[in-house]
Every structure is written in structure tokens, then in C-alpha cells.
Amino acid sequence: MYSLIRTQKGPTAIYFENNFYRLQKQNKNGTKRWVCTNRSCSCSLLIKDERLQIVRGQHNHTNEKPSLSIIQTIDNLRQTVCSNVSKPITQIYNEILSTYRQNNGTAELVPMFDMLRSTLYRDRATVLPKLPHSLHRLILPNVFIKNLYNENMLFCDKKRPSRILGFASITAIKQLDLPDELQKESVKRQLANILSLPLLPINKIIAAFHDAADSLVIINRNFQTFVDYVEKTYITSPKFNPVNWNHYNTLSNRPRTNNQ
DNA sequence: AAGTGCTAAAGGGGAGCGCT
DNA sequence: AGCGCTCCCCTTTAGCACTT
């Protein structure tokens, strides 16, 4: 009996007695002719109603195909890395290989992880979103703009002149009694100014912070709690003072990671 | 053209070590 | 015990040549 398998490029093929066959044609009488995938080989199978009718020819080539169980295991591996994207690929490989060894013993030669690694990572990449090359190309899926209570967390996504993203839950904003204020462009601008403090020369940080803080408190006195928190944690704190988080002198010089 | 095998490298995190 | 530092391993990605 033959087995249906998936070829490297996706289409269905037949695995029969250590050889692969591809579908060549379907005849008017309902039979299908499958030919050996080796181009110089004329061997073929005639199949009707999923039953093997005739085997024609002799293979004129050597055969180094892996066994059907190995082929199915690799296919299972490739499907699993796509369906379970949160689990490390090496862990998936080890688990599936372990199961295979338990069921089939240790005699069969199984492809090493190094031989499958690139294929598995490329397979997974087909089901994951593309990495953005700039902040403007960053796409936020719905799952990333809601919290565990399914509340909308993205309150600001300003595209120009620079991309500004702001996250906070409605519940948290209501606790500050500021939900309406956060819709104002002037408030978004001052919050962005505070977030941009690490990019200023260090001797201008304190003045810039107080400018932004004063503007926020003038708009609404309830911003005072937020302003006090930032000042206490990042301006006057000896542990996280501006020397620690200022990046002005490292701009364009410091090597960047890909966490852009 | 698409898929694969192989290599090099980046980045994160744990282990080990010495110091306080 | 806690902290900081270095080294090394593991995971992941990218690039290139080759195969299908």
C-alpha cells in the first residue's frame, strides 16, 4: 500500500516502496497516473479509487529517501512549529524526537536539529508578523492593544511628526480622573516631551521637565500626582537620576540593538 | 522561483567567581 | 547573602550557495 505525503514545496506526493511519485495526469476512465519524481526514471503507478492498480517499470536510480515514519515525523515537526509559536523550536524538536524514539526505537537515522533548523525557523516565520524596519511601519495587532480584561490600552497613536504610542487602561485613567484630558493634543504633546527627556542634553533636562510639568498641571491639577511621581523617581532620585538614563551623548555613537 | 543546508553572528540569560 | 562582572551556552536571525 502507498502513503500520501507532502513534498518540500507543498503539493501532495505518493510514497511507495522508498520512492516518491508525483501526479502526472488523470485519465478519462477515472484512473490517475503518478510518475517517479526522479526525472530520468520512467516508473509509474496507476491508481483508481485510491487503490493501486498497476506498478510499471524498474527504477534506474539509487534510493536514499528516508523512511515514511521519518518523513511523517518531519512533517509533524513543521506543522507544530507553526501551530505552537510560543514554544521554542528546539524544545518542540526534542519532544517530537523523544516521542519518535519511544515509538520507533533508536535504530533509524533521524535528521539532526542543525539540518532542520533553518527550515523550521522559516516555516514559523510564515505565520508570524513581519518585523517592522521603522516605527512608522509598526503594526499593532488587536491582541497587543488590549489588556487581560479586554480593555483598550492604546490611548494614543500619533503618526506625525514622530510616531507616539501611549498605553493606559480606561480603568486606570478614570482613577486619575483624567480621561477627557488625555484626548487633548496639548496634553499628548507635553507627555511626549516628558518621554523624550533622555534625548536632551543633560543640563537642559530639569528645565524641560518643569516646563512640561507646569503645563500639565495648569491644564488640570490632577496631573500633579503623575508629575510628582516622575520627579521623585527619575529627576531627584539618586538611584535613577538623569545621568543614568540620559542618551544625548550616546546618540549616533552607541551601538544599537535590534530592539528599535 | 521557491525551498534547503550551512555558517556566522546577535542577543538574552544562566553559571561561576570574587568582593563586600 | 547580595551584588557586579565575565564567560559561555542557547535561541534566533540573516546571508549565501546550492537544489528542487
Side-chain angles (χ1 to χ4, degrees):
Chain A
M1 187 56 184
Y2 63 87
S3 299
L4 292 173
I5 61 166
R6 192 179 61 159
T7 65
Q8 289 181 347
K9 294 191 178 184
T12 301
I14 278 180
Y15 182 89
F16 178 67
E17 294 183 345
N18 296 331
N19 283 287
F20 291 150
Y21 297 82
R22 63 180 170 81
L23 179 63
Q24 185 194 45
K25 61 180 290 190
Q26 183 161 1
N27 298 314
K28 290 180 179 177
N29 63 3
T31 60
K32 292 178 180 175
R33 184 167 190 251
W34 296 72
V35 296
C36 180
T37 53
N38 189 312
R39 289 188 179 188
S40 62
C41 180
S42 59
C43 274
S44 66
L45 308 176
L46 204 62
I47 293 174
K48 185 176 185 180
D49 297 333
E50 301 181 356
R51 287 192 161 200
L52 181 59
Q53 304 285 320
I54 301 172
V55 180
R56 289 200 179 97
Q58 294 283 330
H59 292 282
N60 60 1
H61 51 89
T62 57
N63 199 331
E64 297 176 354
K65 297 281 192 303
S67 71
L68 179 61
S69 59
I70 290 289
I71 293 170
Q72 290 173 335
T73 299
I74 293 173
D75 194 45
N76 179 25
L77 200 53
R78 297 183 65 171
Q79 290 184 38
T80 305
V81 299
C82 293
S83 61
N84 192 351
V85 294
S86 61
K87 183 179 278 191
I89 285 177
T90 46
Q91 192 177 338
I92 293 174
Y93 174 86
N94 289 333
E95 288 178 1
I96 290 181
L97 187 70
S98 175
T99 303
Y100 178 83
R101 290 300 192 197
Q102 288 173 11
N103 296 335
N104 298 273
T106 57
E108 184 96 43
L109 191 63
V110 178
M112 299 291 288
F113 178 72
D114 285 353
M115 293 176 64
L116 296 171
R117 179 170 51 189
S118 290
T119 300
L120 298 178
Y121 282 115
R122 285 191 181 103
D123 284 347
R124 176 167 282 184
T126 62
V127 298
L128 293 175
K130 301 284 185 194
L131 286 175
H133 293 287
S134 71
L135 202 53
H136 280 287
R137 292 189 178 183
L138 178 66
I139 298 171
L140 292 171
N142 282 337
V143 67
F144 293 143
I145 64 175
K146 293 184 183 298
N147 63 13
L148 294 176
Y149 304 101
N150 208 32
E151 278 185 291
N152 192 22
M153 286 287 287
L154 180 66
F155 76 85
C156 171
D157 186 1
K158 189 175 171 59
K159 301 282 194 305
R160 292 179 183 281
S162 300
R163 186 84 179 269
I164 298 173
L165 299 171
F167 292 90
S169 71
I170 296 299
T171 304
I173 292 174
K174 282 181 178 175
Q175 286 176 354
L176 290 172
D177 195 21
L178 294 165
D180 295 334
E181 303 295 354
L182 291 175
Q183 302 301 320
K184 294 179 180 175
E185 286 300 313
S186 57
V187 170
K188 291 179 182 178
R189 175 47 54 194
Q190 297 305 334
L191 290 174
N193 287 343
I194 291 177
L195 293 172
S196 304
L197 291 175
L199 306 179
L200 292 178
I202 197 162
N203 61 345
K204 295 186 177 179
I205 286 178
I206 293 179
F209 167 73
H210 285 298
D211 283 347
D214 291 347
S215 298
L216 287 172
V217 174
I218 289 172
I219 293 170
N220 190 314
R221 292 176 59 85
N222 288 349
F223 276 113
Q224 190 65 53
T225 306
F226 167 74
V227 167
D228 289 345
Y229 167 77
V230 175
E231 183 173 23
K232 180 183 174 185
T233 307
Y234 295 106
I235 305 296
T236 60
S237 163
K239 195 170 185 179
F240 299 116
N241 63 63
V243 174
N244 298 109
W245 47 259
N246 180 256
H247 283 279
Y248 180 77
N249 290 326
T250 60
L251 291 175
S252 304
N253 296 325
R254 187 166 176 253
R256 295 297 305 270
T257 70
N258 61 358
N259 296 323
Q260 298 181 43

